Amino acid sequence: MPAIEFEELHYEIRDGESVLDALIRGGADVTFSCRKGACQVCMMRLIDGHINEEATRRLREDLVEGGHFLPCRAHPTDDLIIDRADHSQLTFEAMVSGKEKRSPNVVRLLLEPEIDLEWTPGQYINLIREDGVSRSYSISSVAEEDYFVIIDVKKVDGGELSSWVHEELEMGHFLRIQGPMGDCVYRPDDQNRPLILLGTGTGISPLYGVVRDALRQNHRGKILICHGASSEEGLYLNQELTALQDSYPTVAYRPCTDGQRVTDAAFGDNFDATDHVVYLCGNPDMVYDARYRAVGAGVRRR
């Protein structure tokens, strides 16, 4: 059996296992999420050995040239020596090509990366200021339809980066980006299953991208979108989501304000959510409550 050398320890790869599977089974301290190659969170760097083409197919050319690969997609036939990803190669510059006020505390940034970037709506990027301060923001744009990488930034009280974005960052400025990462994305295997998407605040931003991506791929199941905000002003995607509802008979949109909970809007009394897929983004308390309600309504835990 082929073996992996990683941080001076050795791990054997069993038949049918990926490099990531072998590392996890062996107790290695590695980061991973989807285990399918979509999120790229598990990315590593090859020091010596040969990696199958599938392990690099979804990566940018410069990352591949730097030896990076996805261990979740790697099934080697020979021994490997690997290391953690070189994060200096995972960042790149992007220009702020647009800045739009969407609500009193939300601005939208239209970013133009210096490279030909590939992403899936719902993934996130890290914005990195010149002094190294970094925060994560989800992508709402669809690469096949939109030119820019689009993110919505809420101003947080005392937020170092969000305050800078709102008050100082201007069109034409450059900043560094890391990513994309994450697996809160539409899966074509769910094409016939009903979708429930619950978002509060700017948590609706990636979900808007997920819905657009699903519709672009001819999703056939019903789609319910619930957006919660503390006031009408907070429903900053109301026009776009209403337009989706008007254009697609399978889409239903429920804005929630004035104390109405998105979980109540989605999961009514005795609601049967068996076979539904649920996406949750936003306030941690909402996410916790919605997960509890979803499982109670029949949604599979995974």
Side-chain angles (χ1 to χ4, degrees):
M1 292 183 291
I4 310 163
E5 181 181 330
F6 173 61
E7 296 185 338
E8 299 184 352
L9 295 177
H10 291 80
Y11 305 83
E12 286 190 346
I13 305 176
R14 295 176 179 173
D15 288 344
E17 275 191 331
S18 68
V19 169
L20 180 62
D21 291 334
L23 292 171
I24 294 172
R25 178 175 52 80
D29 179 18
V30 293
T31 302
F32 62 93
S33 181
C34 74
R35 302 175 74 164
K36 297 179 180 179
C39 68
Q40 302 185 8
V41 169
C42 67
M43 189 186 307
M44 289 190 167
R45 188 162 53 96
L46 180 66
I47 305 301
D48 188 52
H50 177 73
I51 288 292
N52 53 298
E53 183 181 350
E54 181 63 24
T56 60
R57 183 173 297 164
R58 302 185 183 190
L59 299 181
R60 306 193 316 256
E61 184 177 349
D62 60 317
L63 293 177
V64 176
E65 290 176 353
H68 292 86
F69 71 100
L70 299 177
C72 63
R73 309 294 292 177
H75 296 270
T77 56
D78 301 309
D79 293 350
L80 303 177
I81 300 176
I82 64 175
D83 199 357
R84 298 186 185 275
D86 179 1
H87 287 279
S88 67
Q89 294 190 39
L90 302 182
T91 65
F92 50 89
E93 276 200 334
M95 183 176 71
V96 180
S97 295
K99 181 179 178 181
E100 307 169 359
K101 193 86 168 176
R102 296 302 308 240
S103 78
N105 65 349
V106 175
V107 296
R108 171 165 294 173
L109 297 183
L110 281 63
L111 304 175
E112 185 172 1
E114 65 177 345
I115 62 173
D116 186 13
L117 186 66
E118 294 185 6
W119 73 90
T120 303
Q123 288 191 300
Y124 67 92
I125 57 174
N126 292 330
L127 291 191
I128 307 171
R129 200 168 62 181
E130 192 175 63
D131 60 359
V133 174
S134 175
R135 297 292 185 273
S136 301
Y137 297 99
S138 295
I139 303 172
S140 67
S141 49
V142 179
E144 289 79 6
E145 298 179 2
D146 302 314
Y147 180 78
F148 297 108
V149 176
I150 299 175
I151 61 173
D152 295 332
V153 179
K154 177 183 178 180
K155 187 176 182 180
V156 179
D157 290 341
E160 188 172 0
L161 194 72
S162 66
S163 296
W164 174 76
V165 167
H166 276 250
E167 299 167 7
E168 299 182 40
L169 187 66
E170 300 291 348
M171 286 179 56
H173 285 183
F174 286 84
L175 40 68
R176 297 202 68 79
I177 284 179
Q178 183 181 34
M181 297 168 281
D183 63 344
C184 182
V185 299
Y186 175 71
R187 300 173 301 188
D189 289 347
D190 296 330
Q191 191 173 52
N192 295 309
R193 300 174 66 184
L195 307 182
I196 299 175
L197 303 99
L198 307 185
T200 54
T202 50
I204 195 63
S205 177
L207 300 183
Y208 177 56
V210 169
V211 170
R212 290 179 59 211
D213 196 36
L215 295 171
R216 182 187 67 83
Q217 298 190 57
N218 300 313
H219 182 80
R220 290 190 285 267
K222 291 185 177 181
I223 301 174
L224 172 63
I225 312 164
C226 301
H227 183 202
S230 58
S231 66
E232 294 288 338
E233 289 180 325
L235 300 173
Y236 68 93
L237 284 179
N238 187 67
Q239 183 175 345
E240 291 89 339
L241 293 173
T242 300
L244 287 182
Q245 177 177 249
D246 294 342
S247 301
Y248 296 92
T250 56
V251 175
Y253 163 52
R254 298 177 185 171
C256 302
T257 58
D258 299 325
Q260 183 184 13
R261 294 153 57 98
V262 291
T263 48
D264 292 336
F267 304 109
D269 293 338
N270 300 317
F271 178 75
D272 184 5
T274 304
D275 204 41
H276 286 58
V277 179
V278 179
Y279 292 80
L280 307 173
C281 294
N283 182 284
D285 290 336
M286 181 279 291
V287 171
Y288 180 85
D289 181 47
R291 183 179 184 276
Y292 175 80
R293 297 278 296 272
V295 172
V299 175
R300 284 176 286 178
R301 289 180 181 274
R302 71 176 181 86

